[in-house]
Amino acid sequence: MAKVAINLSTGSIQQEEIIVGIDLGTTNSLVAYIHPDGHPLAINDQGRGTIVPSVVHFPAGAQEPIVGTEAKDYLLTDPQNTIYSVKRLLGKSYRDLGEHATQLGYKVIDDNTEGLVKIRVGDRFYSPIELSAEILKELRLRAEHALKTPVNKAVITVPAYFNDSQRQATRDAGRLAGLEVLRIVNEPTAAALAYGIGLSPDEEKTVAVYDLGGGTFDVSILRIQQGIFEVLSTNGDTYLGGDDLDRAIIDYWTSDYQLAAYLYQNGSAQQELRLLAEAAKKHLSRHEEFSADFGGTLLPLTKTKFNELIQPLVERTIVSCRQALADAKLTPQQLDAVLLVGGSTRVPLVYDSVSAFFQQPANSSLNPDEVVALGAAIQADILAGNRRDVLLLDVTPLTLGIETLGGLMDPIIPRNSKIPTKAGRQYTTSVDGQVNLKISVYQGERDLVKENRKLAEFDLRGIPAMPAGLPKVDVNFLLNADGILQVEAIELRSNTRQAVEIKPQYGLTDEQVEQMLMDSLTHAREDVAARMVIEARTVAEQMLYQVERFVDKNSQYLTEDEITQTAAQTQVLREALETNVKDTILKAVDELESLTSPFAERVMNISIKQAMAGKKIE
Ligand code: ADP
Ligand code: MG
């Protein structure tokens, strides 16, 4: 809520700074704030509606782009200079996009230096961050215009499955748009807040948030406990949404009303048909029948026919819901609420199917277009300190850790940790005189780093040469409230420190995040077995290294017999390593150890005596 304060010395009225909530959507974006009456409200500047289509058009020759409904019109007439769905490109590389890159109406090019995609408009190149910033700027201007006050601070929402680089990109877009981004919030968390869930500290709820937008679908299961929003599971399809419902209608009309030839001859007819299909879809959310004239042909559509056309698409979302519920290990009865988000949830078949699947009426009492923005405004209000009873925390969806010997993932911040959070662990070197330590940061649930996603890699250089195992290297992870990670490594004996900036790597596709979480469940048993073999191998390799070094250095103190026996037993261990069988390896390690430890001890005593003898003890 915007509070008004009176400055006692000057008698002037000061309005407290407003923090807006922003839903930066793939198809549509909105900005909301807390009305002085205490309720969140989506901003409707000059009666233009609350929805700002996430479309940016660059008029030929003009300096400033056009954003929103006006820009959307150019999708028909000037597709090359009209950018839509830019959210799909945030924090991603050309490779991440794969086949989808060519399906866009504009040019996505591969910028080899950073690996992150750029978009070509005329002879200029734009990053998805810059384009998102244009949308945010428009939202900021609308808010400033409607509220008649400068707006410099915002909370922005992102899908729960967004990774670090996508979140960072969103934050950067905000900064470019002149907004200080106080918090990046998960969209399902915002939706729950808008429904008033999680606002009282002693509340405990489990909810499903079903979000079907223009081109994306996701479902998240959240557990809300003491103000902590935990994402238990998330699932979905980043290429399934309202556009596909439109496409189903278009395909039906085209084949049943023989439109193919007409569409072929009329360039703009295709886009007209698309708009007509969307109009039909929206109409059927409230009526039983639709019909319109299209170039002299009457195109009818009944609700029954429409439902039949979209049934397979809706069913795909239900499959995702089933999976999300299974991943969260819950039954529908254990859910306190099912919340509907996104314009496409207005389709009655969607409402019915979701309610039937979750065995309870879905909650759609709030405007599904606005609910995420409203929740973001509530989060902003909490950050502004206007709701002191609420403490909001999010959790990290994937484990963060570093690679240790043998390619194992050593988790530092486990998934579902409340954020912000800090954690660290101490490591050492594995080879004598090692002066560099490579630190590779990974994200994911698998035991082997090669199955996880590499976030960053850096060298801690300048470690003074010391025997293996002596340097002490602290690796600290700091995950801030937006889910952005900082990693620091310090060698304690020498105080060598690496100020590390993690370069946001290429983004994961959403399918990959889902896949990573899913894989961790399906491969859990294999992973444990693989980890045990690797651990055994690591012990064995270290043992071989130490024993060989020992024999090398101390051969003068060893008998001929001891040397040949050790060589033979070393060979046994090498062969055991070949088998890759944990028990065989560990058995050979034990044998080598019991063989060598008596004379290792003896030699140690000799060298200690010599060392003492060489020193003057006063
Ligand atoms: P996003 O979150 O991806 O930006 P939205 O939540 O704004 O998307 O959803 C946009 C989609 O909602 C579009 O496909 C639009 O056609 C659809 N939509 C909007 N209103 C209705 C309606 N009344 N009936 C059916 N679909 C609708
Ligand atoms: Mg949305």
Side-chain angles (χ1 to χ4, degrees), residues 23 25 187 211:
D23 170 7
E187 286 163 11
D211 184 346

Side-chain angles (χ1 to χ4, degrees), residues 23-28 30 87 157 159 187 211-214 216 218 341-343 368-369 372:
D23 170 7
L24 183 62
T26 308
T27 312
N28 295 309
L30 293 90
K87 184 174 177 177
T157 58
E187 286 163 11
D211 184 346
L212 188 61
T216 61
D218 58 85
V341 178
D369 299 320
V372 169

Side-chain angles (χ1 to χ4, degrees), residues 303-499:
K303 191 164 169 176
T304 316
K305 183 70 197 174
F306 174 58
N307 285 349
E308 182 193 316
L309 295 174
I310 65 169
Q311 171 60 37
L313 299 169
V314 177
E315 184 50 34
R316 273 165 62 192
T317 70
I318 298 299
V319 170
S320 286
C321 292
R322 187 171 296 124
Q323 188 63 51
L325 210 52
D327 288 349
K329 299 191 173 60
L330 292 174
T331 61
Q333 290 75 23
Q334 289 169 293
L335 295 176
D336 296 299
V338 177
L339 310 178
L340 294 188
V341 178
S344 302
T345 59
R346 287 213 183 80
V347 173
L349 182 69
V350 170
Y351 178 90
D352 294 342
S353 306
V354 175
S355 300
F357 172 74
F358 287 110
Q359 299 172 29
Q360 57 187 294
N363 199 337
S364 60
S365 56
L366 292 176
N367 180 334
D369 299 320
E370 295 180 355
V371 52
V372 169
L374 298 178
I378 295 173
Q379 167 76 67
D381 201 35
I382 293 167
L383 292 176
N386 296 330
R387 298 177 187 229
R388 296 199 187 280
D389 49 333
V390 201
L391 172 73
L392 265 189
L393 293 170
D394 254 311
V395 298
T396 176
L398 292 169
T399 298
L400 296 161
I402 71 168
E403 175 176 1
T404 54
L405 274 185
L408 287 179
M409 170 87 172
D410 198 21
I412 295 190
I413 297 179
R415 76 180 283 249
N416 281 337
S417 297
K418 295 164 206 164
I419 53 178
T421 185
K422 237 169 78 173
R425 188 161 299 170
Q426 202 166 81
Y427 299 90
T428 188
T429 51
S430 55
V431 180
D432 282 342
Q434 189 176 337
V435 292
N436 287 348
L437 192 65
K438 189 185 284 308
I439 302 203
S440 304
V441 183
Y442 283 85
Q443 184 179 41
E445 306 313 308
R446 303 289 300 274
D447 274 355
L448 305 182
V449 291
K450 68 175 184 351
E451 313 280 359
N452 290 328
R453 173 178 183 250
K454 189 185 253 178
L455 287 179
E457 183 179 278
F458 64 93
D459 282 324
L460 178 65
R461 293 176 197 280
I463 300 172
M466 281 183 254
L470 222 51
K472 287 184 177 169
V473 178
D474 267 358
V475 175
N476 297 317
F477 276 36
L478 176 67
L479 189 61
N480 74 15
D482 303 322
I484 292 165
L485 180 70
Q486 283 174 296
V487 178
E488 177 195 53
I490 313 164
E491 198 291 301
L492 295 177
R493 292 181 192 276
S494 58
N495 207 21
T496 315
R497 188 182 290 261
Q498 193 70 37

